[in-house]
C-alpha cells in the first residue's frame, strides 16, 4: 500500500508545479491519478490547491476510501448544490486532466464551478508521475522478480501442439497465482491490453490497432490483440510479452522460446536487438534526448539491414523503441521520433527492440530499466537468452 510520506512528497511536487504554472489548484477525477496522490482508487474526486491542504471527496465506497486514503481531509462527495461552496473565491484557475477526462465530466464540473477557468494539467501530472521515488522503484523491482519467476516456469508447460491461447492461459494462470493483479492500465485513447500476449510465427504478421511492434491475431475481431487459437509451429520463435502488475505497479518483459531451431536471419535479428538494448541501456542517463536515442536505435537496425522489420511488420512499424512504465503501461517518457525531451533520473522505461518478419516470426527482447547517472539500471532480472526446447 502507498505510504504517507510518498503521498505528501507527490502532493508537494504537484503544488510547486501548479504555482509555477499560475494555477490555483488541480481537480483529479481519473482513478489512477487519484490513487497516485491519495492511496485509494475508490470512486473519488481529489482537489489539490496550489497551497494548503488537499481534499478528497468519495462517492463509493466512502468507508473503504476513508480507510485507505492518505489525505487527511477525506469526506463524502457533497451534493451538487453544496459542491461550489467547497471552493473559495480566490480559486480562479483549475487544472484538469484533458487527456483522459470525458467531455461529459468536463462539462459537469464546469457547470458546478461557474466563473472558473479550466486549464490542462495533463503534462504537469504526467511529468511528475514519470519520475519514480526509491519506494516506487522497489515496487517495480518486486514486479520484475515475480514476473521472472513465471517466465522461468515456461519450459515446464510449453509443449508441441499447443495453441497460442493455451500457452497464454498457462502463463496467466501462474501469474495470477503469484498475485498478479491483471489491471494493465493505459492512458492513451483507444488502447487496451489483456495482461500481455503469446504469439508464434503463425500470427507474427498480424496487424491491428495496438500501438506496439507486435499485435497478434487475438480471439476475434472484437478482441483483435494477443493470442489466437492458432497452433504453435516448431522451428519458429514464440514470443511471450507480458506485464507483471503488483500493488498497482507494472513491469514489462518479453522473452522468446523455440521448439526446435531458429532460422539464421532471425538469429541475426535477435543479436541486433540485444545490441540495440545494450546501447540504449548504456545511454539511459539524465539529459539524454529521447528522440536521439530512438534515432540511434533505428540507425542500428538500418546498419544491420533490418530497417523494414524494425518495431513492426513492413509498413506497420511502430515509431518508438521504449515507453515509460509505472502505474500505467504508457507513461512518460517515450523513446520516439518527435519526443524531444530530456530524460530525468528515476524515470522507468521498458526498452523493446523487436523485429517482425511476416510468415517467419517475431524476434527481439524487452526489459524495464530506471534512468540513472550510470545509465539504465535493470529492474527485470532474467537472462535474455532464447530458450530452446
Amino acid at each position: 500500500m502507498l505510504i504517507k510520506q510518498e503521498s505528501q512528497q507527490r502532493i508537494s511536487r504537484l503544488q510547486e508545479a501548479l504555482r509555477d504554472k499560475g494555477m490555483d489548484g488541480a481537480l483529479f477525477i481519473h482513478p489512477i491519478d487519484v490513487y497516485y496522490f491519495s492511496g485509494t482508487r475508490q470512486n473519488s474526486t481529489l482537489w489539490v490547491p496550489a497551497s494548503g491542504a488537499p481534499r478528497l471527496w468519495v462517492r463509493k465506497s466512502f468507508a473503504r476510501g476513508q480507510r485507505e486514503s492518505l489525505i487527511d481531509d477525506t469526506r463524502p462527495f457533497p451534493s451538487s448544490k453544496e459542491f461550489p461552496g467547497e471552493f473559495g473565491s480566490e480559486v480562479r484557475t483549475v487544472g484538469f486532466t484533458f487527456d483522459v477526462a470525458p467531455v461529459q465530466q468536463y462539462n459537469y464540473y464546469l457547470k458546478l464551478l461557474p466563473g472558473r477557468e479550466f486549464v490542462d494539467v495533463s503534462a504537469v501530472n504526467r511529468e511528475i508521475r514519470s519520475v519514480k521515488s526509491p519506494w516506487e522503484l522497489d515496487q517495480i523491482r518486486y514486479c520484475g522478480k515475480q514476473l521472472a519467476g513465471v517466465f522461468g516456469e515456461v519450459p515446464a508447460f510449453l509443449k508441441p501442439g499447443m495453441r497460442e491461447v493455451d500457452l497464454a492461459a498457462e502463463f496467466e494462470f501462474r501469474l495470477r497465482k503469484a498475485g498478479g493483479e491483471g489491471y494493465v492500465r493505459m492512458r492513451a485513447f483507444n488502447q487496451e491490453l489483456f495482461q500481455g500476449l503469446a504469439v508464434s510465427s503463425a500470427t507474427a504478421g498480424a496487424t491491428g490497432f495496438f500501438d506496439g511492434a507486435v499485435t497478434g491475431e487475438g480471439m476475434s475481431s472484437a478482441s483483435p490483440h494477443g493470442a489466437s487459437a492458432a497452433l504453435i509451429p516448431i522451428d519458429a520463435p514464440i514470443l511471450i510479452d507480458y506485464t507483471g502488475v503488483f500493488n498497482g505497479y507494472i513491469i514489462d518483459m518479453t522473452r522468446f522460446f523455440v521448439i526446435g531451431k531458429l532460422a539464421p536471419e532471425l538469429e541475426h535479428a535477435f543479436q541486433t536487438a540485444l545490441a540495440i538494448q545494450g546501447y540504449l541501456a548504456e545511454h539511459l542517463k539524465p539529459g539524454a534526448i529521447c528522440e536521439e536515442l530512438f534515432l540511434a536505435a533505428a540507425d542500428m537496425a538500418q546498419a544491420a539491414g533490418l530497417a523494414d522489420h524494425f518495431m513492426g511488420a513492413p509498413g506497420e512499424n511502430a515509431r518508438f523503441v521504449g515507453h515509460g512504465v509505472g502505474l500505467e503501461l504508457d507513461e512518460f517518457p517515450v523513446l520516439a521520433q518527435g519526443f524531444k525531451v530530456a530524460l530525468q533520473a528515476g524515470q522507468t522505461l521498458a526498452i523493446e527492440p523487436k523485429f517482425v518478419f511476416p510468415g517467419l516470426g517475431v524476434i527481439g527482447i524487452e526489459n524495464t530499466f530506471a534512468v540513472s547517472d550510470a545509465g539504465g539500471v535493470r529492474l527485470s532480472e532474467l537472462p535474455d537468452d532464447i530458450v530452446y526446447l
Side-chain angles (χ1 to χ4, degrees):
M1 304 298 291
L2 185 65
I3 58 176
K4 184 78 169 181
Q5 182 182 10
E6 283 287 314
S7 173
Q8 291 174 334
Q9 289 174 347
R10 295 170 185 184
I11 289 169
S12 293
R13 289 170 60 201
L14 173 61
Q15 289 180 319
E16 182 179 354
L18 292 173
R19 292 192 293 269
D20 288 344
K21 297 292 184 181
M23 300 182 197
D24 296 318
L27 198 64
F28 293 100
I29 63 171
H30 192 57
I32 206 61
D33 291 334
V34 173
Y35 172 79
Y36 177 78
F37 292 107
S38 74
T40 184
R41 182 261 172 265
Q42 296 304 298
N43 188 355
S44 311
T45 296
L46 174 66
W47 167 246
V48 180
S51 299
R55 190 174 305 150
L56 182 70
W57 299 284
V58 184
R59 294 182 184 271
K60 186 177 184 301
S61 155
F62 175 68
R64 183 164 181 176
Q66 188 178 45
R67 183 171 74 247
E68 294 175 343
S69 175
L70 299 171
I71 304 299
D72 292 334
D73 190 351
T74 295
R75 58 180 75 176
F77 198 93
S79 68
S80 297
K81 183 180 295 186
E82 296 169 331
F83 189 81
E86 300 281 341
F87 297 81
S89 59
E90 74 281 359
V91 176
R92 309 304 305 167
T93 306
V94 177
F96 207 64
T97 50
F98 288 4
D99 60 336
V100 290
V103 174
Q104 184 269 344
Q105 288 293 303
Y106 169 74
N107 287 334
Y108 170 76
Y109 284 98
L110 200 62
K111 184 177 180 180
L112 285 183
L113 300 172
R116 272 83 171 191
E117 178 187 9
F118 278 60
V119 296
D120 193 7
V121 76
S122 305
V124 169
N125 176 50
R126 296 194 72 178
E127 182 175 347
I128 288 171
R129 285 185 45 190
S130 77
V131 178
K132 308 303 189 289
S133 68
W135 183 85
E136 289 182 287
L137 293 178
D138 284 344
Q139 303 303 309
I140 299 175
R141 282 192 186 92
Y142 178 78
C143 294
K145 181 178 179 181
Q146 298 303 107
L147 184 57
V150 178
F151 270 110
E153 296 183 45
V154 172
F157 60 79
L158 176 54
K159 306 294 181 185
M162 293 183 81
R163 301 175 302 169
E164 290 179 350
V165 69
D166 297 327
L167 174 59
E170 293 287 350
F171 194 94
E172 291 161 11
F173 165 72
R174 288 163 175 79
L175 186 56
R176 186 65 166 155
K177 290 278 283 186
E181 296 169 1
Y183 285 90
V184 186
R185 295 182 169 97
M186 299 188 70
R187 202 169 189 90
F189 178 69
N190 260 348
Q191 295 296 301
E192 55 189 3
L193 172 67
F194 183 72
Q195 296 195 59
L197 63 160
V199 172
S200 69
S201 61
T203 61
T207 57
F209 73 93
F210 190 73
D211 187 18
V214 183
T215 297
E217 190 68 31
M219 297 303 293
S220 74
S221 57
S223 303
H225 180 262
S228 73
L231 292 175
I232 296 173
I234 62 170
D235 296 330
I238 304 162
L239 169 147
I240 302 181
D241 180 352
Y242 266 80
T243 59
V245 187
F246 298 83
N247 200 22
Y249 283 88
I250 299 171
I251 200 163
D252 200 0
M253 296 170 61
T254 300
R255 291 297 184 273
F256 283 84
F257 301 81
V258 180
I259 302 174
K261 58 185 179 181
L262 201 60
E265 52 264 56
L266 293 173
E267 267 290 354
H268 169 60
F270 180 66
Q271 294 303 321
T272 303
L274 291 181
I276 292 173
Q277 175 186 248
Y279 174 87
L280 294 175
E282 180 183 351
H283 290 83
L284 289 180
K285 298 179 180 180
I289 304 301
C290 293
E291 180 185 57
E292 294 175 5
L293 293 179
F294 169 78
L295 294 175
D299 286 346
M300 293 176 72
Q302 176 77 43
L306 298 169
D308 289 345
H309 304 276
F310 183 51
M311 296 304 293
E316 295 274 351
N317 311 78
R319 299 299 178 184
F320 71 93
V321 72
H323 57 91
V325 293
L327 291 171
E328 293 171 310
L329 186 64
D330 55 346
E331 294 195 358
F332 282 172
V334 186
L335 303 189
Q337 192 166 2
F339 202 83
K340 304 175 188 292
V341 176
L343 293 177
Q344 301 179 57
Q347 290 178 325
T348 46
L349 299 99
I351 303 299
E352 56 169 320
K354 294 170 183 169
F355 297 92
V356 180
F357 302 83
L360 190 59
V362 178
I363 202 72
I365 193 66
E366 182 173 21
N367 285 291
T368 300
F369 297 84
V371 177
S372 80
D373 291 335
V377 176
R378 187 153 148 167
L379 304 176
S380 47
E381 289 301 329
L382 184 71
D384 292 339
D385 305 327
I386 298 171
V387 177
Y388 290 89
L389 304 173

